[in-house]
Amino acid sequence: MLSESHKQRYLRGINLPNVGEEGQLKLLDASVLIVGVGAIGSIASIYLTATGVGRIGLIDYDTIDIGDLQHQVLYETSFLNRPKVRAAQAKLQKMNPSITFEGYFQALDVRNALKIIQGYDFIIDTTNNLHTTFLVNQACVATGKPFSTAGYFQYQGQIMTHIPDSACFGCAFEALAPQELRRNFQGGVCGFSTGILGSMQAGEAIKYFLHRDMPHLRRTLLVNCLGIFDTQKLYFNKFLLRKNPSCPVCSKASK
Ligand SMILES: [Zn+2]
């Protein structure tokens, strides 16, 4: 049962259709790992914290640079040179003292990925780094964990979600021309585009927890599709993806 203080704190969420006190309890019992606490991770972590996802892991090897403050909105000028994970954890804990945070001041790599990812219910990859995204994809498929990945290039954003048995990032990457997946920091970073991605990724995790036992789960998530938007040209398109039977990561033959 929800405590009185939780009922008051989360009332606006509880009142939403398909949430209720039962839904809020599901969120409080859930855990999310956010890989990368930069532009996208700032916003994803703020919404997950405010919404009351009970346990949040943050992993990032980087420290805060003056140039980060233009788009990594979790950080203040006084935080310069501090590890992002430590600064994020301190700030988020103040926003919602009842959430448990776990900080990993290190890179996610082949040696630690499986172990860390296994400890969480849902993974959010915000790194905008294809190498890390493939690693998250591989570790999540291997452990049966759902995840959302997002990337950006200037004003453009890309996002997809994987749940067991849906198309994985390997399936998606094979199906698209490489230029559709441009992800890098060259030519600038658009904070309001990365903010949309972080908000959407928090939403994917929250909807997963609310609907994971229900038959309509797939319809509520960006599974088997890649969402691509551009805030300058003002479009949002969904490209349908099929599971690739010869995907090197998720096909039965690869196991
Ligand atoms: Zn695949």
Side-chain angles (χ1 to χ4, degrees):
M1 250 183 76
L2 280 179
S3 66
E4 262 320 302
S5 65
H6 275 164
K7 276 185 201 168
Q8 288 170 8
R9 182 174 192 114
Y10 301 118
L11 181 66
R12 299 291 191 276
I14 290 168
N15 285 344
L16 282 170
N18 304 318
V19 182
E21 290 188 26
E22 192 189 338
Q24 188 62 48
L25 280 168
K26 289 178 184 171
L27 298 179
L28 289 166
D29 282 341
S31 60
V32 174
L33 176 70
I34 302 175
V35 184
V37 200
I40 304 175
S42 283
I43 293 294
S45 64
I46 287 171
Y47 278 115
L48 292 171
T49 299
T51 307
V53 169
R55 188 164 63 88
I56 298 174
L58 309 163
I59 179 164
D60 200 307
Y61 63 88
D62 208 3
T63 54
I64 300 164
D65 179 80
I66 183 82
D68 295 333
L69 302 180
Q70 177 266 355
H71 51 279
Q72 302 184 20
V73 296
L74 193 54
Y75 305 123
E76 301 173 14
T77 307
S78 62
F79 292 175
L80 290 181
N81 302 318
R82 286 176 65 186
K84 289 182 184 175
V85 159
R86 303 281 173 250
Q89 199 172 341
K91 178 134 183 190
L92 294 165
Q93 192 76 76
K94 276 191 197 165
M95 290 174 65
N96 192 343
S98 70
I99 306 299
T100 301
F101 292 98
E102 284 151 358
Y104 305 87
F105 181 35
Q106 60 191 103
L108 191 79
D109 59 33
V110 287
R111 290 162 299 176
N112 61 28
L114 282 175
K115 188 163 183 270
I116 294 174
I117 281 173
Q118 249 160 359
Y120 294 87
D121 300 324
F122 192 100
I123 316 302
I124 290 181
D125 164 44
T126 75
T127 56
N128 206 40
N129 174 317
L130 283 174
H131 179 75
T132 306
T133 300
F134 272 111
L135 176 65
V136 169
N137 182 59
Q138 206 157 21
C140 287
V141 169
T143 52
K145 298 287 181 183
F147 73 94
S148 169
T149 180
Y152 55 91
F153 177 73
Q154 297 177 350
Y155 292 92
Q156 192 190 82
Q158 310 134 10
I159 176 169
M160 66 168 281
T161 296
H162 167 81
I163 58 176
D165 296 327
S166 74
C168 81
F169 190 76
C171 301
F173 188 69
E174 294 244 325
L176 287 169
Q179 63 267 25
E180 299 273 26
L181 276 171
R182 271 194 302 181
R183 288 183 173 185
N184 61 56
F185 310 109
Q186 287 166 13
V189 179
C190 173
F192 53 83
S193 290
T194 55
I196 290 169
L197 289 169
S199 186
M200 289 182 76
Q201 287 195 285
E204 290 292 282
I206 289 164
K207 288 181 292 175
Y208 172 79
F209 296 130
L210 293 174
H211 305 298
R212 66 173 142 183
D213 303 322
M214 301 178 191
H216 63 271
L217 172 67
R218 281 166 186 262
R219 290 204 309 276
T220 71
L221 298 176
L222 284 163
V223 294
N224 292 325
C225 68
L226 180 74
I228 294 186
F229 67 81
D230 188 305
T231 56
Q232 184 163 245
K233 296 176 184 160
L234 287 177
Y235 67 77
F236 187 103
N237 292 328
K238 283 204 298 187
F239 295 85
L240 293 181
L241 300 170
R242 283 177 203 271
K243 206 168 157 63
N244 176 358
S246 57
C247 170
V249 182
C250 71
S251 68
K252 292 228 165 20
S254 69
K255 290 182 180 168

